[in-house]
Amino acid sequence: MTVADCLEALRSDIPSCQVAAFGDVAARLILKASHDATVPREKLDGLCAEAARCFAMTEGTGDPKADTQNSIVMTAQDMRVYVRAQGRADFICLLCALDSDPEEVVPKGVAALSQLAGDA
């Protein structure tokens, strides 16, 4: 399965998911994304910058034995979920509706990241 196929499947598997993206936090770049045509590149760039800030703030916190590092950002419009493997720069970003269930969204992001990283 290609990165594009994986992201498209992930986005369609999460109700009201507007964006499923794969990026590199060190390069501060979204490498590939699944979204409709109304999402501008600037929005993706902003999500990547926000992921970098979230991961920087959580550096050294949490369970050091955990395989992944997750951040959830709630805004007035949406929920943003960022997932990356410990010690890696690549990450998954999911932009979902406010009423999305993080307990459903996060594991799906973790599974997709694992698949994309070749760990599955």
Side-chain angles (χ1 to χ4, degrees):
M1 180 180 284
T2 67
V3 173
D5 292 340
C6 183
L7 293 173
E8 190 63 35
L10 177 60
R11 185 168 73 105
S12 65
D13 192 35
I14 300 171
S16 301
C17 183
Q18 301 162 11
V19 175
F22 180 66
D24 184 312
V25 74
R28 294 188 181 236
L29 184 65
I30 295 292
L31 303 171
K32 195 72 172 170
S34 170
H35 55 82
D36 65 35
T38 64
V39 178
R41 180 70 206 186
E42 294 79 12
K43 179 75 168 182
L44 298 177
D45 293 342
L47 292 171
C48 189
E50 184 173 67
R53 288 190 304 274
C54 287
F55 293 134
M57 286 189 300
T58 61
E59 208 59 44
T61 64
D63 183 357
K65 296 177 186 172
D67 293 334
T68 60
Q69 183 180 22
N70 312 318
S71 291
I72 299 173
V73 176
M74 304 294 283
T75 72
Q77 295 83 26
D78 53 45
M79 177 180 76
R80 301 159 186 198
V81 175
Y82 302 105
V83 179
R84 76 171 176 176
Q86 289 288 7
R88 296 194 54 143
D90 48 348
F91 69 95
I92 290 283
C93 166
L94 298 164
L95 178 64
C96 303
L98 271 176
D99 62 352
S100 299
D101 182 359
E103 291 185 9
E104 177 186 335
V105 175
V106 171
K108 290 179 181 183
V110 169
L113 182 62
S114 179
Q115 183 177 9
L116 291 173
D119 297 335

PDB file of all heavy atoms in Angstrom, residues 68-95:
ATOM      1  N   THR A  68       4.883   5.378  21.269  1.00  0.00           N
ATOM      2  CA  THR A  68       4.480   6.568  20.524  1.00  0.00           C
ATOM      3  C   THR A  68       4.308   7.760  21.446  1.00  0.00           C
ATOM      4  O   THR A  68       4.148   7.625  22.652  1.00  0.00           O
ATOM      5  CB  THR A  68       3.158   6.346  19.771  1.00  0.00           C
ATOM      6  OG1 THR A  68       2.134   6.029  20.703  1.00  0.00           O
ATOM      7  CG2 THR A  68       3.278   5.257  18.722  1.00  0.00           C
ATOM      8  N   GLN A  69       4.340   8.919  20.829  1.00  0.00           N
ATOM      9  CA  GLN A  69       4.113  10.188  21.513  1.00  0.00           C
ATOM     10  C   GLN A  69       2.918  10.831  20.812  1.00  0.00           C
ATOM     11  O   GLN A  69       2.918  10.958  19.588  1.00  0.00           O
ATOM     12  CB  GLN A  69       5.369  11.038  21.379  1.00  0.00           C
ATOM     13  CG  GLN A  69       5.331  12.346  22.082  1.00  0.00           C
ATOM     14  CD  GLN A  69       6.630  13.114  21.882  1.00  0.00           C
ATOM     15  OE1 GLN A  69       7.367  12.876  20.939  1.00  0.00           O
ATOM     16  NE2 GLN A  69       6.891  14.047  22.757  1.00  0.00           N
ATOM     17  N   ASN A  70       1.901  11.206  21.558  1.00  0.00           N
ATOM     18  CA  ASN A  70       0.677  11.755  20.982  1.00  0.00           C
ATOM     19  C   ASN A  70       0.374  13.121  21.582  1.00  0.00           C
ATOM     20  O   ASN A  70       0.610  13.346  22.758  1.00  0.00           O
ATOM     21  CB  ASN A  70      -0.515  10.838  21.283  1.00  0.00           C
ATOM     22  CG  ASN A  70      -0.228   9.391  20.988  1.00  0.00           C
ATOM     23  OD1 ASN A  70       0.374   9.069  19.975  1.00  0.00           O
ATOM     24  ND2 ASN A  70      -0.638   8.506  21.876  1.00  0.00           N
ATOM     25  N   SER A  71      -0.158  13.997  20.749  1.00  0.00           N
ATOM     26  CA  SER A  71      -0.638  15.299  21.213  1.00  0.00           C
ATOM     27  C   SER A  71      -2.003  15.534  20.598  1.00  0.00           C
ATOM     28  O   SER A  71      -2.224  15.213  19.426  1.00  0.00           O
ATOM     29  CB  SER A  71       0.307  16.420  20.785  1.00  0.00           C
ATOM     30  OG  SER A  71       1.522  16.335  21.468  1.00  0.00           O
ATOM     31  N   ILE A  72      -2.897  16.102  21.395  1.00  0.00           N
ATOM     32  CA  ILE A  72      -4.228  16.458  20.911  1.00  0.00           C
ATOM     33  C   ILE A  72      -4.437  17.937  21.168  1.00  0.00           C
ATOM     34  O   ILE A  72      -4.230  18.413  22.283  1.00  0.00           O
ATOM     35  CB  ILE A  72      -5.325  15.631  21.616  1.00  0.00           C
ATOM     36  CG1 ILE A  72      -5.115  14.144  21.344  1.00  0.00           C
ATOM     37  CG2 ILE A  72      -6.711  16.094  21.179  1.00  0.00           C
ATOM     38  CD1 ILE A  72      -6.037  13.239  22.128  1.00  0.00           C
ATOM     39  N   VAL A  73      -4.834  18.652  20.135  1.00  0.00           N
ATOM     40  CA  VAL A  73      -5.105  20.086  20.226  1.00  0.00           C
ATOM     41  C   VAL A  73      -6.579  20.303  19.891  1.00  0.00           C
ATOM     42  O   VAL A  73      -7.046  19.867  18.838  1.00  0.00           O
ATOM     43  CB  VAL A  73      -4.215  20.890  19.246  1.00  0.00           C
ATOM     44  CG1 VAL A  73      -4.580  22.365  19.285  1.00  0.00           C
ATOM     45  CG2 VAL A  73      -2.748  20.669  19.549  1.00  0.00           C
ATOM     46  N   MET A  74      -7.274  20.949  20.792  1.00  0.00           N
ATOM     47  CA  MET A  74      -8.681  21.288  20.560  1.00  0.00           C
ATOM     48  C   MET A  74      -8.777  22.779  20.260  1.00  0.00           C
ATOM     49  O   MET A  74      -8.223  23.591  20.997  1.00  0.00           O
ATOM     50  CB  MET A  74      -9.514  20.963  21.794  1.00  0.00           C
ATOM     51  CG  MET A  74      -9.411  19.522  22.272  1.00  0.00           C
ATOM     52  SD  MET A  74     -10.077  18.326  21.127  1.00  0.00           S
ATOM     53  CE  MET A  74     -11.818  18.514  21.413  1.00  0.00           C
ATOM     54  N   THR A  75      -9.445  23.108  19.174  1.00  0.00           N
ATOM     55  CA  THR A  75      -9.710  24.510  18.861  1.00  0.00           C
ATOM     56  C   THR A  75     -11.226  24.713  18.884  1.00  0.00           C
ATOM     57  O   THR A  75     -11.977  23.763  19.110  1.00  0.00           O
ATOM     58  CB  THR A  75      -9.162  24.888  17.463  1.00  0.00           C
ATOM     59  OG1 THR A  75      -9.981  24.281  16.450  1.00  0.00           O
ATOM     60  CG2 THR A  75      -7.709  24.465  17.294  1.00  0.00           C
ATOM     61  N   ALA A  76     -11.657  25.909  18.614  1.00  0.00           N
ATOM     62  CA  ALA A  76     -13.092  26.178  18.567  1.00  0.00           C
ATOM     63  C   ALA A  76     -13.741  25.483  17.367  1.00  0.00           C
ATOM     64  O   ALA A  76     -14.949  25.244  17.359  1.00  0.00           O
ATOM     65  CB  ALA A  76     -13.347  27.676  18.492  1.00  0.00           C
ATOM     66  N   GLN A  77     -12.926  25.133  16.349  1.00  0.00           N
ATOM     67  CA  GLN A  77     -13.462  24.541  15.119  1.00  0.00           C
ATOM     68  C   GLN A  77     -13.216  23.039  14.976  1.00  0.00           C
ATOM     69  O   GLN A  77     -13.973  22.362  14.300  1.00  0.00           O
ATOM     70  CB  GLN A  77     -12.854  25.217  13.881  1.00  0.00           C
ATOM     71  CG  GLN A  77     -13.199  26.669  13.703  1.00  0.00           C
ATOM     72  CD  GLN A  77     -12.300  27.582  14.533  1.00  0.00           C
ATOM     73  OE1 GLN A  77     -11.178  27.238  14.859  1.00  0.00           O
ATOM     74  NE2 GLN A  77     -12.818  28.737  14.895  1.00  0.00           N
ATOM     75  N   ASP A  78     -12.128  22.514  15.559  1.00  0.00           N
ATOM     76  CA  ASP A  78     -11.755  21.138  15.263  1.00  0.00           C
ATOM     77  C   ASP A  78     -10.867  20.520  16.336  1.00  0.00           C
ATOM     78  O   ASP A  78     -10.477  21.191  17.290  1.00  0.00           O
ATOM     79  CB  ASP A  78     -11.047  21.064  13.905  1.00  0.00           C
ATOM     80  CG  ASP A  78      -9.880  22.034  13.783  1.00  0.00           C
ATOM     81  OD1 ASP A  78      -9.071  22.125  14.723  1.00  0.00           O
ATOM     82  OD2 ASP A  78      -9.771  22.707  12.746  1.00  0.00           O
ATOM     83  N   MET A  79     -10.576  19.240  16.144  1.00  0.00           N
ATOM     84  CA  MET A  79      -9.638  18.507  16.984  1.00  0.00           C
ATOM     85  C   MET A  79      -8.481  18.070  16.088  1.00  0.00           C
ATOM     86  O   MET A  79      -8.692  17.547  15.001  1.00  0.00           O
ATOM     87  CB  MET A  79     -10.306  17.263  17.589  1.00  0.00           C
ATOM     88  CG  MET A  79      -9.350  16.423  18.425  1.00  0.00           C
ATOM     89  SD  MET A  79     -10.121  14.956  19.155  1.00  0.00           S
ATOM     90  CE  MET A  79     -10.233  13.889  17.726  1.00  0.00           C
ATOM     91  N   ARG A  80      -7.272  18.298  16.570  1.00  0.00           N
ATOM     92  CA  ARG A  80      -6.076  17.935  15.813  1.00  0.00           C
ATOM     93  C   ARG A  80      -5.290  16.907  16.615  1.00  0.00           C
ATOM     94  O   ARG A  80      -4.978  17.137  17.782  1.00  0.00           O
ATOM     95  CB  ARG A  80      -5.220  19.171  15.564  1.00  0.00           C
ATOM     96  CG  ARG A  80      -5.996  20.228  14.796  1.00  0.00           C
ATOM     97  CD  ARG A  80      -5.423  21.585  14.968  1.00  0.00           C
ATOM     98  NE  ARG A  80      -6.290  22.561  14.317  1.00  0.00           N
ATOM     99  CZ  ARG A  80      -5.896  23.767  13.996  1.00  0.00           C
ATOM    100  NH1 ARG A  80      -4.670  24.168  14.277  1.00  0.00           N
ATOM    101  NH2 ARG A  80      -6.728  24.593  13.400  1.00  0.00           N
ATOM    102  N   VAL A  81      -4.994  15.792  15.992  1.00  0.00           N
ATOM    103  CA  VAL A  81      -4.274  14.709  16.647  1.00  0.00           C
ATOM    104  C   VAL A  81      -2.937  14.536  15.934  1.00  0.00           C
ATOM    105  O   VAL A  81      -2.886  14.412  14.711  1.00  0.00           O
ATOM    106  CB  VAL A  81      -5.081  13.398  16.600  1.00  0.00           C
ATOM    107  CG1 VAL A  81      -4.279  12.240  17.180  1.00  0.00           C
ATOM    108  CG2 VAL A  81      -6.405  13.561  17.339  1.00  0.00           C
ATOM    109  N   TYR A  82      -1.867  14.538  16.717  1.00  0.00           N
ATOM    110  CA  TYR A  82      -0.519  14.341  16.193  1.00  0.00           C
ATOM    111  C   TYR A  82       0.078  13.105  16.860  1.00  0.00           C
ATOM    112  O   TYR A  82       0.049  12.992  18.084  1.00  0.00           O
ATOM    113  CB  TYR A  82       0.360  15.563  16.484  1.00  0.00           C
ATOM    114  CG  TYR A  82      -0.204  16.839  15.915  1.00  0.00           C
ATOM    115  CD1 TYR A  82      -0.808  17.786  16.739  1.00  0.00           C
ATOM    116  CD2 TYR A  82      -0.148  17.097  14.548  1.00  0.00           C
ATOM    117  CE1 TYR A  82      -1.327  18.962  16.220  1.00  0.00           C
ATOM    118  CE2 TYR A  82      -0.679  18.272  14.022  1.00  0.00           C
ATOM    119  CZ  TYR A  82      -1.263  19.193  14.859  1.00  0.00           C
ATOM    120  OH  TYR A  82      -1.781  20.354  14.342  1.00  0.00           O
ATOM    121  N   VAL A  83       0.597  12.194  16.062  1.00  0.00           N
ATOM    122  CA  VAL A  83       1.163  10.947  16.568  1.00  0.00           C
ATOM    123  C   VAL A  83       2.524  10.725  15.924  1.00  0.00           C
ATOM    124  O   VAL A  83       2.665  10.849  14.707  1.00  0.00           O
ATOM    125  CB  VAL A  83       0.255   9.743  16.199  1.00  0.00           C
ATOM    126  CG1 VAL A  83       0.853   8.436  16.696  1.00  0.00           C
ATOM    127  CG2 VAL A  83      -1.151   9.930  16.735  1.00  0.00           C
ATOM    128  N   ARG A  84       3.526  10.395  16.748  1.00  0.00           N
ATOM    129  CA  ARG A  84       4.829  10.004  16.200  1.00  0.00           C
ATOM    130  C   ARG A  84       5.421   8.911  17.073  1.00  0.00           C
ATOM    131  O   ARG A  84       5.092   8.778  18.248  1.00  0.00           O
ATOM    132  CB  ARG A  84       5.787  11.181  16.078  1.00  0.00           C
ATOM    133  CG  ARG A  84       6.400  11.646  17.368  1.00  0.00           C
ATOM    134  CD  ARG A  84       7.489  12.660  17.105  1.00  0.00           C
ATOM    135  NE  ARG A  84       8.008  13.169  18.371  1.00  0.00           N
ATOM    136  CZ  ARG A  84       9.014  14.000  18.465  1.00  0.00           C
ATOM    137  NH1 ARG A  84       9.617  14.430  17.372  1.00  0.00           N
ATOM    138  NH2 ARG A  84       9.432  14.412  19.640  1.00  0.00           N
ATOM    139  N   ALA A  85       6.302   8.142  16.474  1.00  0.00           N
ATOM    140  CA  ALA A  85       7.007   7.094  17.209  1.00  0.00           C
ATOM    141  C   ALA A  85       8.128   7.748  18.003  1.00  0.00           C
ATOM    142  O   ALA A  85       8.726   8.739  17.555  1.00  0.00           O
ATOM    143  CB  ALA A  85       7.565   6.060  16.237  1.00  0.00           C
ATOM    144  N   GLN A  86       8.413   7.197  19.182  1.00  0.00           N
ATOM    145  CA  GLN A  86       9.490   7.738  20.011  1.00  0.00           C
ATOM    146  C   GLN A  86      10.803   7.749  19.228  1.00  0.00           C
ATOM    147  O   GLN A  86      11.147   6.783  18.563  1.00  0.00           O
ATOM    148  CB  GLN A  86       9.675   6.889  21.278  1.00  0.00           C
ATOM    149  CG  GLN A  86       8.565   7.038  22.282  1.00  0.00           C
ATOM    150  CD  GLN A  86       8.568   8.392  22.999  1.00  0.00           C
ATOM    151  OE1 GLN A  86       9.303   9.305  22.699  1.00  0.00           O
ATOM    152  NE2 GLN A  86       7.681   8.508  23.969  1.00  0.00           N
ATOM    153  N   GLY A  87      11.501   8.868  19.287  1.00  0.00           N
ATOM    154  CA  GLY A  87      12.809   8.978  18.658  1.00  0.00           C
ATOM    155  C   GLY A  87      12.786   9.141  17.158  1.00  0.00           C
ATOM    156  O   GLY A  87      13.837   9.092  16.508  1.00  0.00           O
ATOM    157  N   ARG A  88      11.621   9.334  16.566  1.00  0.00           N
ATOM    158  CA  ARG A  88      11.527   9.491  15.108  1.00  0.00           C
ATOM    159  C   ARG A  88      10.979  10.867  14.769  1.00  0.00           C
ATOM    160  O   ARG A  88      10.282  11.482  15.551  1.00  0.00           O
ATOM    161  CB  ARG A  88      10.632   8.413  14.524  1.00  0.00           C
ATOM    162  CG  ARG A  88      11.221   7.007  14.741  1.00  0.00           C
ATOM    163  CD  ARG A  88      10.547   6.009  13.910  1.00  0.00           C
ATOM    164  NE  ARG A  88      10.560   6.381  12.502  1.00  0.00           N
ATOM    165  CZ  ARG A  88      10.705   5.494  11.534  1.00  0.00           C
ATOM    166  NH1 ARG A  88      10.882   4.236  11.807  1.00  0.00           N
ATOM    167  NH2 ARG A  88      10.652   5.877  10.271  1.00  0.00           N
ATOM    168  N   ALA A  89      11.292  11.318  13.568  1.00  0.00           N
ATOM    169  CA  ALA A  89      10.829  12.632  13.123  1.00  0.00           C
ATOM    170  C   ALA A  89       9.516  12.560  12.358  1.00  0.00           C
ATOM    171  O   ALA A  89       8.794  13.553  12.276  1.00  0.00           O
ATOM    172  CB  ALA A  89      11.897  13.294  12.246  1.00  0.00           C
ATOM    173  N   ASP A  90       9.181  11.397  11.780  1.00  0.00           N
ATOM    174  CA  ASP A  90       7.953  11.311  10.997  1.00  0.00           C
ATOM    175  C   ASP A  90       6.734  11.214  11.912  1.00  0.00           C
ATOM    176  O   ASP A  90       6.809  10.699  13.019  1.00  0.00           O
ATOM    177  CB  ASP A  90       8.000  10.163   9.987  1.00  0.00           C
ATOM    178  CG  ASP A  90       8.463   8.841  10.575  1.00  0.00           C
ATOM    179  OD1 ASP A  90       8.960   8.831  11.703  1.00  0.00           O
ATOM    180  OD2 ASP A  90       8.313   7.823   9.889  1.00  0.00           O
ATOM    181  N   PHE A  91       5.638  11.757  11.442  1.00  0.00           N
ATOM    182  CA  PHE A  91       4.424  11.805  12.262  1.00  0.00           C
ATOM    183  C   PHE A  91       3.183  11.745  11.397  1.00  0.00           C
ATOM    184  O   PHE A  91       3.237  11.975  10.191  1.00  0.00           O
ATOM    185  CB  PHE A  91       4.399  13.073  13.131  1.00  0.00           C
ATOM    186  CG  PHE A  91       4.214  14.351  12.361  1.00  0.00           C
ATOM    187  CD1 PHE A  91       2.951  14.902  12.202  1.00  0.00           C
ATOM    188  CD2 PHE A  91       5.296  14.995  11.792  1.00  0.00           C
ATOM    189  CE1 PHE A  91       2.776  16.088  11.486  1.00  0.00           C
ATOM    190  CE2 PHE A  91       5.134  16.177  11.077  1.00  0.00           C
ATOM    191  CZ  PHE A  91       3.866  16.724  10.925  1.00  0.00           C
ATOM    192  N   ILE A  92       2.075  11.427  12.049  1.00  0.00           N
ATOM    193  CA  ILE A  92       0.742  11.456  11.442  1.00  0.00           C
ATOM    194  C   ILE A  92      -0.009  12.628  12.055  1.00  0.00           C
ATOM    195  O   ILE A  92       0.055  12.853  13.265  1.00  0.00           O
ATOM    196  CB  ILE A  92      -0.028  10.149  11.715  1.00  0.00           C
ATOM    197  CG1 ILE A  92       0.566   8.976  10.940  1.00  0.00           C
ATOM    198  CG2 ILE A  92      -1.517  10.295  11.419  1.00  0.00           C
ATOM    199  CD1 ILE A  92       0.227   8.932   9.474  1.00  0.00           C
ATOM    200  N   CYS A  93      -0.725  13.352  11.217  1.00  0.00           N
ATOM    201  CA  CYS A  93      -1.587  14.443  11.663  1.00  0.00           C
ATOM    202  C   CYS A  93      -3.001  14.132  11.195  1.00  0.00           C
ATOM    203  O   CYS A  93      -3.204  13.786  10.032  1.00  0.00           O
ATOM    204  CB  CYS A  93      -1.115  15.758  11.049  1.00  0.00           C
ATOM    205  SG  CYS A  93      -2.317  17.094  11.194  1.00  0.00           S
ATOM    206  N   LEU A  94      -3.957  14.259  12.099  1.00  0.00           N
ATOM    207  CA  LEU A  94      -5.365  14.053  11.767  1.00  0.00           C
ATOM    208  C   LEU A  94      -6.158  15.277  12.201  1.00  0.00           C
ATOM    209  O   LEU A  94      -6.109  15.675  13.368  1.00  0.00           O
ATOM    210  CB  LEU A  94      -5.895  12.804  12.480  1.00  0.00           C
ATOM    211  CG  LEU A  94      -5.187  11.511  12.080  1.00  0.00           C
ATOM    212  CD1 LEU A  94      -5.485  10.409  13.078  1.00  0.00           C
ATOM    213  CD2 LEU A  94      -5.573  11.110  10.681  1.00  0.00           C
ATOM    214  N   LEU A  95      -6.849  15.871  11.275  1.00  0.00           N
ATOM    215  CA  LEU A  95      -7.703  17.027  11.539  1.00  0.00           C
ATOM    216  C   LEU A  95      -9.142  16.528  11.485  1.00  0.00           C
ATOM    217  O   LEU A  95      -9.621  16.117  10.426  1.00  0.00           O
ATOM    218  CB  LEU A  95      -7.464  18.122  10.499  1.00  0.00           C
ATOM    219  CG  LEU A  95      -8.307  19.385  10.595  1.00  0.00           C
ATOM    220  CD1 LEU A  95      -8.009  20.132  11.882  1.00  0.00           C
ATOM    221  CD2 LEU A  95      -8.051  20.276   9.398  1.00  0.00           C
TER     222      LEU A  95
END
